[in-house]
Amino acid sequence: MKKAVNRLIFTTAIMIGTASIGMSANAALPFFSSDKNEVPSLAPMLEETTPAIVSIAVEGTQVSRQRVPEMFRHFFGGQNEQVQERPFKGLGSGVIIDAKEGYVVTNNHVVDNADEIIVKLTDGREFKAKKLGADEQSDIALLKIEAKNIKAVPLANSDKLRVGDFVVAIGNPFGLSQTVTSGIVSAMGRSGLNIGGYEDFIQTDAAINRGNSGGALVNLRGELVGINTAIFGPNGGNVGIGFAIPSNMMKSLVDQIVEFGEVRRGLLGILGQDVDAGLAEAMNLDVNKGAFVSEVSPDSAAEKGGIESGDIITHINGLEVSSFQELRAKIGTMGAGAEVELTVMRKGKSRKIDVTLGDATGTVVAAREIHPALEGATLTNGKTERGNDGVMISELESRSAAASIGLQEGDVIVGVNRSRVTTVADLSRQMEEVQGVIALNVQRGKTSLYLVIR
């Protein structure tokens, strides 16, 4: 996937199983020999940990859809789009996180659209895996295998991870057998990479390459701290900048899949932006980082909890929030109904506010799922300034297809070709029925306009 500066390649994963999964009694695995005559080595820890890291092979069919220009449709029997099916094979990595249940976590992109998933252990055994659930926006998937005598990786608290901590990446790069690389935590809370809907990455200089997707990032005790999920470098090569999904984020998501069979994403109900020096000066703020709240949705968890526009959210459950993206990722990967303590700055004073997250299931979707021309936008059931129901553009990627047709963050779509639209489901249904040109009726503040999709 090409980006403006460089190239981000998906590569990793891991994670937790059920809510009862925690740190094992044997979690403090040694990484130095007790014999003073021996050279310090990570081998004792790796001998305990690597059996829980697996290789994943997939086969499936990828379906691509391409919109056919109206002038050429007679060549395709009058069809609006051309559908192509292509078989594919792929390799990745995974982590056993519950030996009793046979739970294996990997990246969603490793197993997406796969018809067959084979998990291979380090002892050579192979098992067909069943996908229990997945979440595209956070790029995790939970698999289950029927196997005995297997090992699981204990879970660490990724919130306690610090820049400078030593970490080890384990996976199967380039289709090779299991490979181990080491490094340190280079940064925390990385976002803005545009490789997923929810980004709150651990950055590491441990070498991560193609095929590491789904592999584990562990600390020197052999405890799982993250999911190596992407690399940043020219031509897809490792340059010492890799990214991993924190284990705590993944545990929350996997717990939801185990309980409900799907991710029931939490919803706070705010719009906002990062706090930077410019905003701090313009608004005469006392802080230079955090999440600035520009708008609070009516009847949302934020409004019920007492969040107001102009507030700056600085902490969530006692942990510092550096940006709006980081807040969004943490909230979005918590389950609906989760109780959250937010620390906010309001008129120079700090206060704590307790909120119970709403349920975003079925109300927040990536617009590309509805129409290719809307790719890059996130849609939410919302209201116009006049109080009318519609579909709000809650988030918008710059230079995306949706931005190119003129949509802006905060816009509310209220009609398609003069047919009224009040929910995301309405919008999806109306756009499926339209053939040819689509005219979106958009409310932008107090202004009404039409944006045309050809």
Side-chain angles (χ1 to χ4, degrees):
M1 182 184 299
K2 292 185 177 179
K3 297 294 173 189
V5 230
N6 248 325
R7 191 176 179 187
L8 284 164
I9 310 292
F10 285 118
T11 59
T12 315
I14 69 198
M15 258 345 310
I16 303 349
T18 67
S20 63
I21 294 175
M23 192 177 297
S24 73
N26 298 319
L29 301 174
F31 60 92
F32 285 149
S33 169
S34 59
D35 189 336
K36 295 181 180 180
N37 295 320
E38 290 189 16
V39 176
S41 174
L42 294 174
M45 178 274 284
L46 291 170
E47 287 167 358
E48 294 290 330
T49 305
T50 52
I53 316 304
V54 303
S55 173
I56 297 177
V58 300
E59 293 186 14
T61 303
Q62 188 170 19
V63 179
S64 61
R65 301 175 183 273
Q66 185 174 2
R67 203 162 187 82
V68 179
E70 189 171 1
M71 65 181 68
F72 298 118
R73 286 177 187 169
H74 65 280
F75 292 112
F76 297 91
Q79 297 180 353
N80 294 336
E81 61 181 10
Q82 185 182 12
V83 180
Q84 293 183 331
E85 295 185 357
R86 296 180 180 178
F88 70 88
K89 293 183 179 182
L91 294 172
S93 306
V95 181
I96 300 173
I97 46 85
D98 189 322
K100 182 180 178 181
E101 297 293 336
Y103 291 154
V104 178
V105 175
T106 186
N107 285 143
N108 174 68
H109 75 264
V110 171
V111 295
D112 193 28
N113 297 318
D115 299 320
E116 184 178 67
I117 305 171
I118 302 296
V119 170
K120 184 176 181 179
L121 308 186
T122 54
D123 62 13
R125 289 183 292 166
E126 295 185 357
F127 301 91
K128 282 191 175 182
K130 176 184 178 181
K131 185 165 75 170
L132 298 182
D135 183 45
E136 179 185 1
Q137 293 194 62
S138 56
D139 197 24
I140 64 117
L142 180 63
L143 312 178
K144 181 178 176 63
I145 59 174
E146 299 294 339
K148 296 181 179 180
N149 301 319
I150 58 177
K151 280 193 170 185
V153 177
L155 173 65
N157 183 352
S158 58
D159 288 339
K160 295 186 177 181
L161 207 58
R162 300 176 302 170
V163 173
D165 284 350
F166 288 104
V167 287
V168 176
I170 310 171
N172 301 276
F174 302 113
L176 299 172
S177 58
Q178 197 173 83
T179 300
V180 176
T181 57
S182 66
I184 63 170
V185 174
S186 304
M188 297 291 294
R190 288 297 195 205
S191 61
L193 306 179
N194 296 323
I195 60 175
Y198 295 91
E199 299 180 358
D200 183 23
F201 292 118
I202 301 165
Q203 182 181 323
T204 178
D205 65 349
I208 299 171
N209 291 285
R210 294 174 184 270
N212 273 111
S213 294
L217 190 71
V218 301
N219 60 23
L220 295 187
R221 295 190 188 96
E223 300 162 345
L224 192 64
V225 298
I227 307 157
N228 309 315
T229 193
I231 59 176
F232 187 66
N235 304 317
N238 172 65
V239 292
I241 302 179
F243 299 97
I245 301 169
S247 59
N248 286 7
M249 176 185 289
M250 299 312 303
K251 182 180 188 307
S252 176
L253 293 164
V254 171
D255 285 348
Q256 294 171 54
I257 292 174
V258 170
E259 185 174 357
F260 305 113
E262 63 179 359
V263 171
R264 295 188 176 179
R265 207 176 303 286
L267 182 65
L268 184 57
I270 62 172
L271 294 176
Q273 64 184 78
D274 297 347
V275 174
D276 55 22
L279 180 63
E281 182 179 357
M283 299 290 294
N284 194 25
L285 304 177
D286 295 325
V287 294
N288 290 308
K289 60 181 179 179
F292 179 77
V293 180
S294 60
E295 182 178 339
V296 178
S297 300
D299 300 320
S300 65
E303 184 184 61
K304 293 174 183 176
I307 299 291
E308 299 178 2
S309 59
D311 284 351
I312 302 164
I313 299 175
T314 60
H315 293 77
I316 176 170
N317 290 337
L319 299 173
E320 188 177 56
V321 172
S322 298
S323 66
F324 191 85
Q325 281 277 39
E326 183 180 353
L327 174 69
R328 176 179 176 272
K330 290 184 184 298
I331 292 293
T333 50
M334 292 179 177
E339 296 181 355
V340 178
E341 180 190 80
L342 299 174
T343 303
V344 305
M345 290 290 294
R346 181 182 298 167
K347 297 180 180 179
K349 295 182 179 180
S350 177
R351 64 182 68 194
K352 297 185 185 299
I353 296 178
D354 295 323
V355 299
T356 301
L357 300 182
D359 190 350
T361 305
T363 64
V364 179
V365 301
R368 66 176 179 274
E369 297 174 12
I370 294 178
H371 194 284
L374 300 181
E375 184 170 2
T378 299
L379 308 178
T380 309
N381 293 342
K383 292 181 180 291
T384 67
E385 285 194 3
R386 299 173 182 174
N388 297 320
D389 292 333
V391 178
M392 177 176 287
I393 311 299
S394 58
E395 295 179 25
L396 185 67
E397 296 177 12
S398 60
R399 302 180 183 178
S400 63
S404 70
I405 66 171
L407 283 171
Q408 297 180 10
E409 192 168 303
D411 283 353
V412 180
I413 301 172
V414 295
V416 174
N417 287 11
R418 298 190 180 278
S419 294
R420 187 76 174 90
V421 166
T422 59
T423 65
V424 173
D426 282 347
L427 178 65
S428 179
R429 183 173 58 253
Q430 292 287 353
M431 294 193 73
E432 283 181 1
E433 294 176 356
V434 173
Q435 296 185 2
V437 176
I438 298 174
L440 298 178
N441 184 195
V442 174
Q443 293 289 321
R444 182 173 298 162
K446 297 181 180 180
T447 303
S448 178
L449 63 148
Y450 280 89
L451 301 177
V452 177
I453 302 173
R454 298 184 182 277

